[in-house]
Amino acid sequence: MRISLSALMGFFLGLGLFALAVYLNTENYLMFFSISSLLMVFGGTMAVAMISFEGRNVMLAFKEIIATLTTAKVDPRTLYEDVGVLIDWAKIVRRESLRKLENTVSLSAEDDQNFLGQCFVYLLSGYRGDKLRVLLQHAQQSIYERKMTQSKVLMTMASASPAFGMIGTLVGLIIMLNNMNGDPSKIGAGLAVALLTTLYGVLMAQLIFKPAARKVEHKQELEAYRNKVLTEGVVLLSDGVSPAHIEDAMNAYLEPKYQFKRA
């Protein structure tokens, strides 16, 4: 797992601009910290997420928030390596047989559980041509929809946090007005505390939940593209075409820098 420097820079830039604005305009930094306001926003956002989705998906969504600062698993290099695996499989099938491929290839635990592992299982099960393509396309769609649930959770939380920020502000205003006892001097300080919940809600939505949701979408789009490429390659392999033919077909999906130069 590699840290994404661009995501890290963006996160610290956002926090840094907020901190700079506070630093340049006041010396009372503690007035921007309120445990009760934070609990109101975070607790309300969690409540909405737990009501709207299964608890397992909510927990997975929080894992995706942490994963926002990491790079995507799929990139031109990994796609090149996956196509290389397909070409190696085609060479084995061409020289020996499909049964030899089963005895020769040993997938890692990670590969065995992802789309490449499914491709291998379907291939050895004897599926060919369009029937194999339909099966793999269904598997692609299932994986995509299942993993996009975390994006939906995060977008729901991004919508809920500003709303609970506003609710916290209204609660604070009601308490403030009730405790004024005719003293107008208390309005400024009380209003500042009440508005903190709105600030927290907006910050959580714009700096945490929405970027995490977009990152999930981006990662799944890359994963879907990878699975599409693997599908085409495995279907060609099942039809018994040559490694060179598979290589030429796969080069259409690869960046020029990572294209193969004849199998």
Side-chain angles (χ1 to χ4, degrees), residues 14 16 57 64-65 68 70 86 93 108 129 143 147 150 167 172 176-177 194 199 204 218 224 228-229 233:
N57 287 323
E64 291 297 340
I65 291 176
T68 303
T70 63
L86 289 181
V93 173
S108 65
I143 292 171
K147 293 189 175 182
Q150 281 79 62
I167 290 172
M176 179 193 71
L177 293 174
L199 175 64
M204 285 185 186
H218 177 63
K228 175 184 175 182
V229 174

Side-chain angles (χ1 to χ4, degrees), residues 243-259:
H245 186 165
I246 293 177
E247 180 183 287
D248 290 339
M250 294 297 95
N251 277 342
Y253 296 98
L254 301 177
E255 292 186 6
K257 178 181 177 181
Y258 291 101
Q259 289 182 355

Side-chain angles (χ1 to χ4, degrees), residues 70-81:
T70 63
T71 58
K73 292 182 179 179
V74 179
D75 56 29
R77 180 67 188 178
T78 58
L79 193 58
Y80 169 83
E81 293 171 353

Side-chain angles (χ1 to χ4, degrees), residues 96-221:
E96 308 287 343
S97 65
L98 195 58
R99 189 55 52 192
K100 179 67 175 178
L101 178 67
E102 181 180 11
N103 297 330
T104 303
V105 174
S106 177
L107 295 177
S108 65
E110 182 179 356
D111 286 335
D112 194 41
Q113 296 175 5
N114 65 19
F115 189 73
L116 186 62
Q118 288 183 298
C119 291
F120 190 65
V121 170
Y122 287 148
L123 187 62
L124 296 181
S125 297
Y127 292 103
R128 299 288 183 271
D130 290 337
K131 184 173 288 188
L132 177 60
R133 177 179 279 106
V134 169
L135 276 173
L136 292 177
Q137 286 175 345
H138 286 169
Q140 287 179 50
Q141 190 64 26
S142 176
I143 292 171
Y144 181 79
E145 291 178 356
R146 185 169 64 251
K147 293 189 175 182
M148 281 298 290
T149 302
Q150 281 79 62
S151 175
K152 295 176 182 177
V153 173
L154 291 167
M155 287 304 294
T156 298
M157 295 172 76
S159 299
S161 58
F164 274 93
M166 184 58 66
I167 290 172
T169 295
L170 293 175
V171 170
L173 287 174
I174 292 170
I175 295 172
M176 179 193 71
L177 293 174
N178 186 60
N179 294 330
M180 278 181 57
N181 295 324
D183 185 1
S185 64
K186 295 182 179 180
I187 293 179
L191 184 59
V193 173
L195 289 175
L196 274 180
T197 51
T198 298
L199 175 64
Y200 288 163
V202 173
L203 280 177
M204 285 185 186
Q206 300 299 329
L207 202 58
I208 298 176
F209 298 135
K210 279 188 179 180
R214 299 304 183 201
K215 193 66 172 282
V216 171
E217 292 176 4
H218 177 63
K219 288 182 177 179
Q220 293 316 309
E221 287 170 358

